[in-house]
Amino acid sequence: MKKYTVKQYLLLLAAILITIIFLFPIYWMVTTSVKPIQDVFATPPMIIPETIRFDAYVKNLIEDQSLLPYLRNSFIVAIGTAALTLLISLPCAYAIARFRLKGASILLLILLVTQMIPGIMTAMPLFILFTKLGLLNSYMALIIGNTTTALPFAIVVMRPFFLSIPKGLEDAAVVDGCNRFTAFLRIILPLTKPSVLTVGTFSFLFAWGDLIFALTLATDEKIRPLTMGLTKFIGQYGTQWDNLMAVSTIAAAPIILLFLLLQKYIVSGITAGSEK
């Protein structure tokens, strides 16, 4: 058997501790959702719940189904954002990677800088614009708003992947009768599966957890996503912690499942083309 050094054991221990620290809030959220309300405020706090109840889940999913429209809205906005982001970022990243465009380096710098801008700074101009266009309180407004956040990240991730694909593949396709567009669709695009899944997953994640655009661009309860539905459990005189944590667990479940199912493609998509 391979012998490990003391340094390697210490690194493993540090990695385990860091993982526990990052996962503890999720553990606390789940355990709070299944605790009786009196155990939530117990002193000292109960790290391991003594009594497990699923009353909060039954109440919010079966008895009171008012949160289901919020959940539906979140899926519509998140899927629409992922689709629109891919539709724009794929040809844009391909053009930057393949063609000698004037100002391409400046454009990439702008894309990097825009990721540092807080969402509230773009939410207010979009609110004014969508008010004049009559798009306020619509799915399209939320999808476009979240796309502005996901698009710079998508282009920055996709460009190195296109650079790592040999240009000779497209030249061979052109010799066989394809034009530039059909070569992109039939040859290049099928090779970008890991990167596409990475960009699509993160775009979905950005829109799923959005609160800024949901708060500013959707004042109608029929359009608001699940992040706004969580606020109904926070009142002036207190917070319904069991219900809030139960719905938060439901909101986090699709993201956790998505990453568990696609983690292989997401990791390879992020690292692909890194040598470029």
Side-chain angles (χ1 to χ4, degrees):
M1 295 180 61
K2 183 179 178 180
K3 294 183 179 180
Y4 296 96
T5 63
V6 176
K7 181 180 179 181
Q8 289 175 322
Y9 280 114
L10 291 176
L11 289 175
L12 176 61
L13 179 61
I16 293 174
L17 291 176
I18 293 173
T19 303
I20 291 174
I21 291 173
F22 275 95
L23 292 181
F24 183 77
I26 299 177
Y27 169 79
W28 191 255
M29 176 183 68
V30 175
T31 55
T32 302
S33 69
V34 297
K35 288 179 184 177
I37 192 63
Q38 62 272 15
D39 291 349
V40 174
F41 300 100
T43 304
M46 292 183 180
I47 303 299
I48 301 176
E50 297 179 354
T51 304
I52 296 178
R53 296 180 181 176
F54 296 94
D55 296 347
Y57 291 92
V58 174
K59 178 181 178 181
N60 291 284
L61 288 179
I62 300 176
E63 296 178 359
D64 182 7
Q65 299 184 356
S66 60
L67 284 174
L68 295 183
Y70 292 104
L71 190 62
R72 178 201 61 204
N73 295 338
S74 289
F75 273 109
I76 293 175
V77 173
I79 293 174
T81 300
L84 183 60
T85 300
L86 289 173
L87 184 63
I88 299 175
S89 64
L90 284 172
C92 183
Y94 176 77
I96 295 175
R98 281 291 185 260
F99 305 126
R100 294 183 178 179
L101 303 176
K102 292 183 179 180
S105 58
I106 298 177
L107 176 60
L108 289 174
L109 179 61
I110 294 174
L111 292 175
L112 290 173
V113 171
T114 54
Q115 297 184 68
M116 306 177 191
I117 299 176
I120 190 63
M121 294 184 66
T122 58
M124 295 311 298
L126 287 176
F127 174 82
I128 298 173
L129 176 63
F130 291 152
T131 300
K132 294 182 177 180
L133 295 177
L135 292 177
L136 204 64
N137 288 322
S138 66
Y139 292 125
M140 185 56 64
L142 293 176
I143 290 172
I144 294 175
N146 286 288
T147 301
T148 60
T149 301
L151 190 59
F153 168 82
I155 296 174
V156 170
V157 170
M158 292 294 301
R159 176 181 169 272
F161 193 90
F162 285 124
L163 288 173
S164 66
I165 298 176
K167 193 175 180 180
L169 294 176
E170 299 155 84
D171 296 335
V174 172
V175 172
D176 290 338
C178 294
N179 56 35
R180 180 70 68 174
F181 181 71
T182 55
F184 171 74
L185 288 180
R186 297 181 180 182
I187 306 299
I188 303 302
L189 200 57
L191 298 176
T192 62
K193 180 180 178 181
S195 188
V196 168
L197 289 175
T198 300
V199 170
T201 302
F202 276 96
S203 301
F204 184 95
L205 174 61
F206 292 153
W208 185 267
D210 168 67
L211 179 62
I212 297 298
F213 295 116
L215 187 63
T216 56
L217 302 181
T219 57
D220 189 351
E221 290 294 329
K222 295 180 180 180
I223 304 297
R224 285 183 163 180
L226 188 57
T227 50
M228 289 301 301
L230 293 173
T231 59
K232 67 181 292 187
F233 301 111
I234 304 173
Q236 181 179 359
Y237 302 104
T239 301
Q240 305 174 38
W241 288 108
D242 52 345
N243 292 323
L244 178 62
M245 293 298 103
V247 178
S248 297
T249 302
I250 296 171
I255 300 301
I256 295 174
L257 291 176
L258 193 62
F259 271 90
L260 289 176
L261 293 174
L262 302 177
Q263 59 178 332
K264 179 178 68 174
Y265 300 103
I266 293 174
V267 173
S268 61
I270 293 177
T271 58
S274 59
E275 70 277 1
K276 295 292 183 179

